[in-house]
Amino acid sequence: MTGSERLIVASNRLPVILSRSPEGGWTFNRGSGGLITALEPVLREREGTWIGWPGVGGDELEEVESLLDRESGRLGYRVRGVGLTPREEEDFYLGFSNQVVWPLFHDFQTQCNFDPSFWQAYRDVNRRFAKVIGENSAPGDFIWVQDYHLMSVAEELVQADSPRRTGFFLHIPFPPLDLFVKLPWRFTLLRSLLHYDLIGFQTGRDRRNFIECVRTLAPNVQVEGEGRVVEVIVGKRRVKVGAFPISIDFDEFAQSAASNPVSERVARLWSEFPGRQIILGVDRLDYSKGIPHKLQGFRLALQRYPALQERVSLVQLVVPSREDIPEYYDIRREIERLVGQISGEFTRPGWVPIHYQYGSWDRPELLAHYRAAAVNLVTSLKDGMNLVAKEFSAASLEGSGVLILSEYAGATAQLQEDAILVNPYDVEEVADAIHRACTMEEEERKERMGRIREKIRREDIFWWVDTFLKAARGEDLGESSTLEIYQPPAPPGFFDSVATES
Ligand code: GDG
């Protein structure tokens, strides 16, 4: 691929989502987020096409095609739809994607529902994506497939006799071998992935897990090279495998956080929490985010360090997600039970320990909370990256925010030196980290946050797109600073007694 060849992006959702208006027509909702912001300019420059589900059924697709064409004109790149029937939404999206791959890849093997009809729907939908990609691309184009919903697309393209140069980026973690082998379709899925020319993971750890699976489960595997991208050779195929930590549009976040409307809301928030520090949690409703663990850590912090009472408040936003899956309903009940208990135990006139909201904020409100908060508390039990941590840091304009980050978030690979790291299963460690963050001297806060912001600014979302596409072209990527695999260091001298015993 040269820098100017056509780019086709495929993702489960299109950046425009259609829904029926009450009058029976269609309304458009524009997606937002870093991925769309970063890919749109590249798509415009390269006569690109974005292929995905526009939120409609297969029988409605024809009806909306002219609307998508019109929208393509407005966007400056083409959007093409892949329709899903309600049954496929159930079995492919809520089923295989979110009750098999999501829990397994986040180490929640016991939450998996290995229903064979889910797998069948996954194959069918991936085949349909490949068909639409084949129809809307030519052999010289580069196809960039996003995320775990579409792992079989490259293989389906080959089977449909539409071979293309393909790259795949996995936004979620890749599990260790002993978990991956639990998957009934482990060999087929691995073979599917090996049809991509480049596979990108968030971290060195995910890449290591993948390579170990391939080495163990596929025959005659060799790995060549070092650095951000290595080559996995399976028979005659050479597959590039790399680690590309996703990021955010740092400058845009920092600038928007400084805007007048956001500054006004920051002032309002500070006046609503007079003389108090805001500890902020922003998480999609998901068992992988460790929200109950966060609440337990906060409760213990208030018990262990009574001086924190009336001095800090936890503002926790939980964004609704996948509510049709029973486990998500259960986790919400668990969260709300804990919020109720903690409020009951600590609330007193003039002070509420937890401000819990189940819903979402508009962007200025989100930015205002990021900027106003003294601490961002991230306790994911497993997380591909965690963009909230990066967004909080970018919006921390005063430069004195403290990031408490789970060891198990992908962002730890980059930010381990300056965030306060916690094992979210260790409730005492979380409590101590909250205390440390809330009592940290201004100077130390600023030094740490300064370095965090600099790292995120340097490796922002545009760097991410550029690095992935360069890797796809086989270009040299230079030095790699973020491939380190975080392991908790033992305290100095901890194992000395073992070493000296005979
Ligand atoms: C997956 C992986 C990986 C949240 N609440 C509101 C809101 N948000 C936006 C945040 C942020 C995004 O949602 C959440 O991103 P995360 O990265 O934290 O988590 P996932 O949704 O699980 O994303 C993850 C990511 O993919 C990218 O590769 O980092 O590990 O699980 O951007 O800003 N936005 C607005 N209002 C809200 O209330 N406007």
Side-chain angles (χ1 to χ4, degrees), residues 127-348:
R127 194 169 307 125
R128 189 154 344 120
F129 265 82
K131 184 167 176 286
V132 178
I133 293 169
E135 289 163 358
N136 287 280
S137 64
D141 297 343
F142 181 71
I143 319 291
W144 189 0
V145 177
Q146 304 290 329
D147 226 358
Y148 63 101
H149 318 85
L150 300 176
M151 288 187 278
S152 305
V153 162
E155 186 174 24
E156 294 293 350
L157 277 166
V158 172
Q159 293 193 349
D161 217 13
S162 319
R164 298 282 185 271
R165 269 143 346 103
T166 51
F168 173 75
F169 185 78
L170 185 68
H171 290 253
I172 66 174
F174 195 87
L177 172 68
D178 288 350
L179 280 176
F180 185 75
V181 290
K182 303 274 158 60
L183 182 71
W185 308 279
R186 57 213 169 175
F187 294 112
T188 321
L189 196 68
L190 208 56
R191 189 189 61 199
S192 290
L193 283 169
L194 290 167
H195 281 75
Y196 285 100
D197 299 308
L198 168 63
I199 306 174
F201 296 98
Q202 298 271 26
T203 65
R205 183 191 302 272
D206 302 313
R207 182 177 75 172
R208 179 200 66 188
N209 289 348
F210 174 76
I211 290 176
E212 204 196 347
C213 287
V214 180
R215 274 192 203 275
T216 313
L217 301 176
N220 306 324
V221 176
Q222 285 175 52
V223 180
E224 276 183 8
E226 53 185 32
R228 189 171 295 286
V229 179
V230 297
E231 281 199 314
V232 172
I233 303 158
V234 186
K236 288 185 185 148
R237 266 196 75 65
R238 298 178 85 90
V239 182
K240 294 194 190 80
V241 182
F244 308 92
I246 199 166
S247 194
I248 57 166
D249 183 348
F250 179 93
D251 291 336
E252 200 279 331
F253 263 94
Q255 277 159 22
S256 302
S259 69
N260 283 340
V262 171
S263 303
E264 280 160 22
R265 292 187 198 211
V266 171
R268 189 205 70 210
L269 274 168
W270 280 335
S271 72
E272 284 167 2
F273 293 85
R276 291 193 179 126
Q277 290 179 307
I278 297 173
I279 302 171
L280 180 66
V282 175
D283 304 274
R284 212 164 34 70
L285 177 70
D286 201 289
Y287 44 80
S288 67
K289 301 291 181 187
I291 306 167
H293 302 70
K294 174 171 357 194
L295 295 170
Q296 280 155 358
F298 181 65
R299 170 163 61 192
L300 187 61
L302 296 179
Q303 287 165 347
R304 263 197 181 183
Y305 304 101
L308 292 180
Q309 294 179 26
E310 299 188 53
R311 309 288 313 157
V312 304
S313 286
L314 173 64
V315 176
Q316 177 65 51
L317 176 70
V318 174
V319 186
S321 175
R322 304 174 198 165
E323 287 163 301
D324 299 332
I325 298 175
E327 282 76 14
Y328 286 73
Y329 176 76
D330 295 345
I331 195 83
R332 180 177 173 192
R333 286 229 324 221
E334 167 71 357
I335 292 164
E336 293 181 355
R337 188 182 62 79
L338 279 164
V339 169
Q341 276 182 2
I342 298 167
S343 302
E345 189 177 341
F346 294 100
T347 303
R348 62 189 65 148

